[in-house]
Amino acid sequence: MNRPAVASREDWLTARTRLLAEEKAMTHRMDELTERRRALPMVLVDKDYVFEGRTGKATLADLFDGRRQLIVYHMMWRWDLDAGCPSCALLLDNIGHLAHLHAQDTTFAAVSRGPWETLDRYRERMGWTFPMYSSFGSDFNYDFHATLDEAIAPVEYNYRTKAELEAAGLTWHSDGEQPGTSVFWRDDDDTVFHTYSCYGRGGDILIGTHHYLDLTPLGRQQHIGEAVHHDSYGAAESHCH
C-alpha cells in the first residue's frame, strides 16, 4: 500500500495550491476540447438498422424515444460468459438518473450484440433500468466499429486500421467485441445523423467510480481490464480482454 508521506499543514498547502494550478489548466483545456467536440460536423445515417428491446423491434430513430439527441454505449458481449463484459458493466453501473439527460432533450441507451432474451436476463441480473437493446443480426456494431471481423468489414478501431493497431502492439483491439460510445442527432422527420464516437480509454469520462477513486491516495487500485460484475466481488472471474 502506497501510504502518502506526512507533512505539515503549511507544506501540504503549498503542494496542494501548486497542483490546483495544474488542475485549473486541465479544466480549461477540457472546456476547449468540449467546444471542438460540439463543433464536429455530422454524417447522415442512411442504413436501416433493426434492434430488439423490451417492447419488440425498433429502428435507430425509435431509440431516441422522441428526443433530439441519443447517446449509445456499445456494450461488449462476452459469448464465453453468456453475459456482458465486466468492464462495460462497471461503466453502465455508473449511469445516473436519466431525468437529467431527458431534461436536455437527450436519451441514453445501451446496445449489445447479445441475443435479446439472454441480454434481457443479464440486464435484470444487473438491476439496470435504462433502455437496452440487442443489435444481434444487424450491421450496427460493425458499422460503428464496436465489433471487428475482417471477414465482414475492414478492421478499424479507435480510428486505426488493423495494421496500425498491430504496429502499436494493440492486437487485442483488432478482432471481436470492443467498447465504444456513439452519439446521434435526430431531425423532426426522423432523419438520423452520427455526430461522435469514442473508443478505448475514451469511455473513462463516463465512469464516475474511477473519478471518485482518482481523488484518493490508493487510486483505482485495479487495472481497467480487471473489473468484475458487481454481484461477483470475492468470486473468481476471468478478465475482460
Side-chain angles (χ1 to χ4, degrees):
M1 180 177 71
N2 296 321
R3 181 174 179 269
V6 177
S8 68
R9 180 69 180 181
E10 290 75 15
D11 288 345
W12 176 88
L13 185 59
T14 297
R16 177 64 189 97
T17 53
R18 186 182 302 121
L19 179 62
L20 177 61
E22 296 181 38
E23 290 175 336
K24 286 179 175 290
M26 180 63 70
T27 298
H28 293 317
R29 177 62 176 146
M30 287 301 299
D31 289 342
E32 293 171 2
L33 287 173
T34 298
E35 288 286 345
R36 292 173 62 187
R37 184 186 298 121
R38 288 200 295 266
L40 282 171
M42 57 187 186
V43 179
L44 175 68
V45 179
D46 55 4
K47 185 178 288 190
D48 294 327
Y49 299 106
V50 178
F51 305 87
E52 189 169 5
R54 299 187 72 183
T55 59
K57 303 293 184 181
T59 66
L60 183 56
D62 292 332
L63 269 56
F64 285 77
D65 197 22
R67 300 183 182 89
R68 183 70 62 193
Q69 301 182 129
L70 170 67
I71 300 170
V72 168
Y73 182 71
H74 303 279
M75 186 187 77
M76 297 168 62
W77 188 249
R78 284 284 298 271
W79 301 95
D80 57 325
L81 298 177
D82 211 21
C85 164
S87 291
C88 290
L90 170 62
L91 184 150
L92 291 170
D93 282 340
N94 282 268
I95 300 301
H97 201 296
L98 295 180
H100 302 295
L101 287 177
H102 295 171
Q104 301 298 321
D105 209 11
T106 303
T107 295
F108 173 87
V111 172
S112 177
R113 287 188 67 239
W116 173 247
E117 290 187 2
T118 308
L119 181 62
D120 193 35
R121 286 195 299 270
Y122 175 68
R123 179 194 60 79
E124 290 183 353
R125 168 190 161 189
M126 293 290 99
W128 294 331
T129 58
F130 50 76
M132 179 169 275
Y133 299 90
S134 171
S135 62
F136 185 72
S138 86
D139 294 335
F140 183 75
N141 273 46
Y142 298 100
D143 290 349
F144 289 94
H145 310 289
T147 302
L148 307 177
D149 184 345
E150 61 183 347
I152 297 176
V155 170
E156 178 191 302
Y157 187 67
N158 209 8
Y159 308 100
R160 290 178 172 181
T161 65
K162 181 178 181 180
E164 290 171 331
L165 290 165
E166 290 177 344
L170 301 173
T171 55
W172 60 88
H173 281 321
S174 63
D175 183 60
E177 302 285 324
Q178 304 294 334
T181 305
S182 293
V183 181
F184 302 90
W185 171 275
R186 183 185 66 85
D187 277 343
D188 291 336
D189 62 356
D190 276 351
T191 303
V192 174
F193 299 86
H194 175 224
T195 68
Y196 180 78
S197 284
C198 64
Y199 305 93
R201 294 279 316 264
D204 271 11
I205 60 174
L206 304 178
I207 307 177
T209 296
H210 284 173
H211 298 303
Y212 280 111
L213 290 172
D214 285 345
L215 301 177
T216 70
L218 292 181
R220 301 183 186 186
Q221 303 174 59
Q222 251 182 350
H223 186 274
I224 189 170
E226 297 176 342
V228 301
H229 290 117
H230 63 239
D231 60 355
S232 300
Y233 280 109
E237 180 165 335
S238 60
H239 294 170
C240 176
H241 295 296

